[in-house]
Amino acid sequence: MALLHVKDLSKQYDKGKQVLSNINMEIFEGEFVSIIGPSGAGKSTFLRCINRMIDISDGELHFDGTDVMSLNKSNLRKHRTKIGMIFQHYNLVSRLTVIENVLHGRFGYKSTLQGVLGIFTEEEKVEAFRLLEKLGMGEHAYKRCDQLSGGQKQRVGIARALIQSPKLILCDEPIASLDPNSSKVIMDHLKSISKEMNITCIVNLHQVDVAKKYSDRVIGLNGGQVVFDGTSKELTSESIHEIYGSEAGDLIME
Ligand code: ADP
């Protein structure tokens, strides 16, 4: 069974224009999927529908056997614990330490009071350190996040997502603010997370070459519609043209 099953999904904001139209797809456990497409294609909107940060206007969205649109408030909270998020601008609390930011990933499992008081178990703290070590960030655990480079901040973001024990990680332009070396480090980590831990990754990307290199599967969006869904190998210069239209010229590296 697919981990994520999307059927005829459409989205419009405030009765405005259709931003996503009749999206259909199944995404499986452990798959590494990139979503590419021009700016405004609806990539970010699609990710926000999956963890129901926004509601879809039409269609169906099933995740891990659950109808996402039918969830009440407490079940929605549970749903979100299964989905980690990685953002372009990291979304860390800069005045807090690395380890505190990682532990924030456990908030979804806590009562409001535990969360406010920052009460975490010994196991959670040990796990936070283990994840930081795994990501090469162990020595920075007590630094304030505003002392880190962009690449280091993103590794904290990954640790914060992993400590949720997610089944799916959604990454919205995870390397758009990073230099090529840091981008490689981040993409290598995401790839090994999906392969070694069998966590599904859906990654919105601007860089077609990166999508091609790392993904099991690439989905191309244009004007809110899926115009390509295939393996990296199947992503030819013709398909890139179809996805990007007139912007494609700059993106094809052959
Ligand atoms: P992408 O991530 O591919 O750049 P987005 O999902 O951000 O695309 O945006 C798709 C379209 O939806 C754009 O036309 C954008 O202006 C519009 N849009 C995005 N967020 C909102 C919002 N909160 N309210 C109204 N329109 C929005």
Side-chain angles (χ1 to χ4, degrees):
M1 202 176 69
L3 179 68
L4 181 72
H5 185 184
V6 176
K7 202 171 158 212
D8 295 328
L9 182 155
S10 296
K11 170 70 187 172
Q12 51 193 123
Y13 290 100
D14 309 321
K15 306 256 176 277
K17 74 168 174 129
Q18 196 91 321
V19 171
L20 295 172
S21 305
N22 287 85
I23 308 276
N24 285 288
M25 71 178 73
E26 286 188 314
I27 293 181
F28 295 89
E29 214 170 77
E31 250 190 321
F32 193 102
V33 181
S34 294
I35 302 186
I36 60 172
S39 193
K43 303 181 294 295
S44 174
T45 298
F46 181 60
L47 287 201
R48 281 184 273 147
C49 289
I50 296 173
N51 68 356
R52 230 182 108 184
M53 271 160 44
I54 53 174
D55 284 345
I56 64 176
S57 310
D58 265 303
E60 293 175 32
L61 189 67
H62 295 266
F63 175 79
D64 200 23
T66 304
D67 174 0
V68 175
M69 288 312 292
S70 74
L71 297 173
N72 62 21
K73 208 172 160 192
S74 89
N75 286 331
L76 181 57
R77 203 171 131 98
K78 257 189 221 145
H79 168 69
R80 290 196 178 129
T81 61
K82 296 188 208 166
I83 303 179
M85 285 289 296
I86 312 265
F87 306 90
Q88 176 180 351
H89 299 294
Y90 328 114
N91 287 22
L92 303 176
V93 184
S94 17
R95 66 189 162 75
L96 296 183
T97 61
V98 165
I99 190 88
E100 286 169 318
N101 271 280
V102 176
L103 286 164
H104 278 184
R106 296 299 298 174
F107 274 175
Y109 292 94
K110 308 258 162 213
S111 69
T112 313
L113 187 63
Q114 283 173 322
V116 169
L117 297 177
I119 297 172
F120 297 100
T121 65
E122 204 48 40
E123 287 78 23
E124 287 171 326
K125 290 176 197 166
V126 169
E127 180 62 1
F129 272 109
R130 191 187 71 78
L131 290 168
L132 285 171
E133 287 287 348
K134 185 178 157 64
L135 292 157
M137 288 292 294
E139 64 186 293
H140 303 294
Y142 292 109
K143 274 193 187 158
R144 271 172 61 131
C145 279
D146 52 11
Q147 295 176 323
L148 305 177
S149 70
Q152 291 172 328
K153 285 181 185 166
Q154 198 56 296
R155 280 184 276 162
V156 178
I158 295 175
R160 181 184 56 190
L162 285 178
I163 206 167
Q164 286 178 233
S165 304
K167 293 199 168 190
L168 169 67
I169 296 187
L170 301 176
C171 311
D172 201 357
E173 302 285 356
I175 56 168
S177 305
L178 301 179
D179 61 63
N181 286 339
S182 309
S183 297
K184 182 176 181 318
V185 171
I186 295 303
M187 291 306 297
D188 286 345
H189 278 303
L190 292 175
K191 182 79 183 181
S192 73
I193 286 163
S194 108
K195 291 304 146 226
E196 288 164 22
M197 303 168 82
N198 205 32
I199 296 174
T200 308
C201 291
I202 305 180
V203 188
N204 281 353
L205 282 172
H206 250 82
Q207 304 83 346
V208 176
D209 53 337
V210 177
K212 210 168 158 57
K213 179 172 170 200
Y214 284 92
S215 313
D216 299 320
R217 177 172 162 198
V218 178
I219 291 173
L221 280 186
N222 186 314
Q225 293 185 321
V226 175
V227 294
F228 178 85
D229 186 347
T231 62
S232 302
K233 277 213 184 95
E234 289 164 343
L235 185 71
T236 58
S237 45
E238 287 78 45
S239 28
I240 295 171
H241 263 291
E242 197 169 344
I243 300 166
Y244 285 92
S246 57
E247 292 173 34
D250 308 334
L251 297 157
I252 297 168
M253 318 113 302
E254 279 172 328

